[in-house]
Amino acid sequence: MGVSPQGDRPRSGFREPAASPQAGILIDCGLFQGQEESRGSSAADLAIDFPIDHIRALVVTHVHIDHVGRIPYLLAAGFDGPIICSEPSAIMLPEILEDALKIGFTRDRALINRVLELIRARLVPLPYGRWHSVFEEEAGSLKVRLQRAGHILGSAYVECDAVSGSGAERIVFSGDLGAPHSPLLPEPSPPERADRLVIESTYGDKNHEDRETRRYRLKAVLEHALEDGGTVLIPAFSIGRTQELLYEIEGLIAEFGGFWNNLEIVVDSPLAAEFTKIYRDLKPFWDEEARALVAAGRHPLSFEQLTVINSHEDHLNAVEYLAKSHRPCVVIAGSGMCAGGRVVNYLKAMLGDARNDVLFVGYQAAGTPGRDILNYGPRGGWVELDGERYDIRAQVHTVGGYSAHAGQEDLLRFVEGIPQSPSEIRIVHGDEGAKRALQAKLRKLVPVADVVIPD
C-alpha cells in the first residue's frame, strides 16, 4: 500500500513509487515548468511513464497547471479511478483543463468535450475536514482528509490514514502551502498528527515581506505609473494571484481615493476573468476580512476601475493604445512567468520605455523569460521573446509576498505546529538550493526526524 506524489511542480523532479504494488493513490499529476519544461513538453514526455494499475484514486491538491496538467494523459493511459479534490477545486478543474487541452492536447472540440465529461464524472468533491474512504480491504485500508492550504481557492493539504499488515500511520502531503495573511484566504493550520510529512520547498530558502510592507510597496509602484503616465505590467497566473492583486488594488483605491480613481486596471485574460467570476461565486470560502468587506458593500473583485479584455482583437488594440498613450494603467496578464500568453505582446511593446514598470509577484523559474527579466532588467540588459531580443528599459520590481507560497519561516511554523514531530520529513517541490536550506533548518528544528530530499 502506498501514496505517490507526482505533480508538485516537476522542476523538482520528484515522484515516489508506491510502497507496495497492491494499492495506492496518486497525489497530483502536473506539467513541467522552467528549465525542465524543454525535457517534458513533447507528447512522449507527457505520456504517463509510471505504473498505474495499483492506483485507486487521484487526489488533487489544487488546480494550478503544474499540479493537474497531465490528468488527460493519465486518463489516456487507462486510469479509471475517482478524482478526489475540494469542493471549489471540483468547480475549477474542468475550466483549467479545458484551456490546457486546447493549447497542448487537441483542437478537436468534440474530443475536448468528451474528456471534460469524463473528468466531471470522475470528480469526488470533498468538504474540508471530512474523512473519505478510498478503499477498505482485508489487506489494508486507506482514507484521506483535505485541509485548507491557503495557496489558492480550493487548495488543500492531504492527510492519509493508511492501515496495512505492518501497522497504521498517517502521512501528510503539504501540496502548495499559502503564505499567512494572504488576501481572501484563511491561512493553513498545521495537522493534528503526521507520522510522515512530505512538504514543499518553493521558498525554502527565503522569507516574504509582511502584508503591510508588500501592500505599500505595491502602492509605490502604482504611484509611479500615476505620476508619469506609464503602464505597470504584472505577469500573473489566472488563478490565485490575479484575484489577490485585484483585492489589494481595490483596497488601495478605497483607502486613498482622489487621483487613485484615475488608475485603470485591466485584466487581459479570458481565463483569469472566468476564474475571477468563480472566486466571486465562492464567497463562502473567503476569509472573514473579505466577507466583511462584501457585507459592508465593497466589491473587491468587481469595481468601477476594472476592465476585462476577452477577444484577441481587443487585446491587440489595448497593447497598441497603451504603448502610445500616457494614460496610467495596470495590466494583469498571463502567463505568470512570461513564457507565453498575452503578457508577451505587452512586454514586446513596452519593455523599451522607461515610463513603464514590470512588477513580478510570484516565483520565476530558471529558464523562463520572467527569470531573465528579473535578473538582467535592473542591469539594463535584454530578454529573448519569441526568438528576438528586447532591451529592458522599463523599471523591474518584485514584491514577494504575493507569491501565494509559504516562505521559509511559514514552512517551519507549519512543521513546528504538529503536536508530535514526524519521524520522517521528505522535502520536494523546489529548486535544489531551497531544498537544502529548508533541510538544514528542519534538522535543527526537528532533530528526531529523518529529513530527506528524495532523488
Side-chain angles (χ1 to χ4, degrees):
M1 184 186 310
V3 194
S4 305
Q6 189 278 329
D8 274 357
R9 188 171 296 153
R11 66 168 191 272
S12 64
F14 177 64
R15 179 165 65 243
E16 180 189 11
S20 160
Q22 282 81 34
I25 60 174
L26 180 67
I27 296 183
D28 290 341
C29 196
L31 290 176
F32 295 87
Q33 290 191 325
Q35 286 181 336
E36 294 197 5
E37 186 174 13
S38 59
R39 74 166 180 82
S41 56
S42 70
D45 289 322
L46 290 171
I48 301 302
D49 59 353
F50 51 88
I52 64 170
D53 290 344
H54 67 290
I55 296 175
R56 301 295 184 85
L58 169 67
V59 181
V60 171
T61 63
H62 66 286
V63 300
H64 274 153
I65 201 69
D66 58 325
H67 289 254
V68 300
R70 291 174 79 190
I71 289 177
Y73 296 87
L74 185 66
L75 299 178
F79 172 72
D80 60 1
I83 301 173
I84 298 169
C85 61
S86 71
E87 293 168 314
S89 289
I91 294 170
M92 295 189 288
L93 182 61
E95 300 289 340
I96 194 71
L97 287 180
E98 178 178 7
D99 193 66
L101 286 167
K102 287 188 290 188
I103 293 172
F105 194 81
T106 180
R107 289 282 182 177
D108 185 333
R109 186 70 247 180
L111 178 57
I112 290 173
N113 287 338
R114 287 200 298 274
V115 173
L116 294 176
E117 287 171 9
L118 181 59
I119 289 169
R120 289 188 178 98
R122 299 278 183 83
L123 286 171
V124 178
L126 293 188
Y128 288 115
R130 180 182 298 177
W131 284 106
H132 173 80
S133 176
V134 178
F135 60 85
E136 189 168 354
E137 302 168 353
E138 185 176 341
S141 64
L142 181 67
K143 59 182 180 179
V144 299
R145 182 169 65 178
L146 304 181
Q147 303 286 10
R148 292 176 184 264
H151 177 58
I152 64 169
L153 191 68
S155 62
Y157 68 82
V158 186
E159 298 174 296
C160 306
D161 268 6
V163 179
S164 65
S166 58
E169 67 174 340
R170 180 169 298 179
I171 309 165
V172 175
F173 293 84
S174 73
D176 284 357
L177 294 172
H181 313 303
S182 292
L184 286 169
L185 301 177
E187 66 178 282
S189 298
E192 63 187 16
R193 174 187 160 202
D195 301 317
R196 285 197 283 162
L197 172 66
V198 181
I199 191 166
E200 66 127 321
S201 58
T202 306
Y203 285 96
D205 57 348
K206 58 177 66 86
N207 292 306
H208 299 314
E209 297 160 320
D210 64 80
R211 183 174 178 185
E212 200 62 18
T213 299
R214 70 185 186 229
R215 186 170 182 266
Y216 281 98
R217 287 195 62 205
L218 174 65
K219 175 177 178 284
V221 175
L222 301 188
E223 282 175 338
H224 178 251
L226 284 166
E227 289 166 1
D228 63 11
T231 296
V232 178
L233 298 178
I234 307 181
F237 291 108
S238 300
I239 314 169
R241 284 173 211 138
T242 292
Q243 292 76 31
E244 291 181 5
L245 285 164
L246 292 178
Y247 182 95
E248 292 285 66
I249 292 170
E250 188 275 343
L252 290 170
I253 293 171
E255 180 176 349
F256 296 102
F259 72 110
W260 274 83
N261 293 320
N262 298 323
L263 183 64
E264 186 170 2
I265 316 300
V266 172
V267 173
D268 191 346
S269 166
L271 190 62
E274 177 62 27
F275 281 108
T276 301
K277 179 181 179 299
I278 291 172
Y279 261 65
R280 290 198 301 265
D281 293 341
L282 293 173
K283 291 184 184 72
F285 293 93
W286 292 11
D287 64 12
E288 291 182 10
E289 176 190 287
R291 294 199 305 271
L293 290 180
V294 173
R298 295 261 296 277
H299 302 283
L301 298 184
S302 178
F303 48 95
E304 186 178 348
Q305 292 87 350
L306 177 61
T307 300
V308 174
I309 295 177
N310 283 304
S311 76
H312 185 65
E313 181 181 358
D314 287 345
H315 158 69
L316 294 177
N317 289 337
V319 172
E320 182 180 7
Y321 171 74
L322 289 173
K324 294 178 179 177
S325 75
H326 283 259
R327 181 169 181 175
C329 186
V330 176
V331 175
I332 303 173
S335 71
M337 297 186 192
C338 307
R342 291 183 174 183
V343 75
V344 174
N345 287 331
Y346 285 103
L347 291 168
K348 291 177 180 178
M350 298 181 183
L351 275 178
D353 191 335
R355 289 185 305 116
N356 300 321
D357 300 78
V358 181
L359 173 61
F360 290 107
V361 292
Y363 179 84
Q364 302 299 308
T368 62
R371 174 71 74 90
D372 290 341
I373 294 170
L374 196 58
N375 284 344
Y376 304 120
R379 309 182 217 166
W382 53 268
V383 63
E384 184 174 306
L385 300 168
D386 292 337
E388 293 186 33
R389 291 186 179 186
Y390 290 85
D391 291 332
I392 306 170
R393 297 189 181 92
Q395 296 188 41
V396 179
H397 314 266
T398 180
V399 181
Y402 294 105
S403 71
H405 280 274
Q408 184 188 76
E409 289 182 359
D410 307 322
L411 295 170
L412 295 174
R413 189 164 53 250
F414 183 81
V415 175
E416 192 175 24
I418 302 172
Q420 184 170 339
S421 298
S423 60
E424 179 185 82
I425 301 174
R426 294 192 173 208
I427 301 174
V428 300
H429 194 0
D431 292 335
E432 194 62 28
K435 290 179 185 176
R436 295 293 176 194
L438 185 61
Q439 182 184 45
K441 291 284 187 179
L442 284 172
R443 281 176 170 168
K444 291 180 180 178
L445 179 69
V446 194
V448 298
D450 181 18
V451 184
V452 299
I453 300 173
D455 294 332

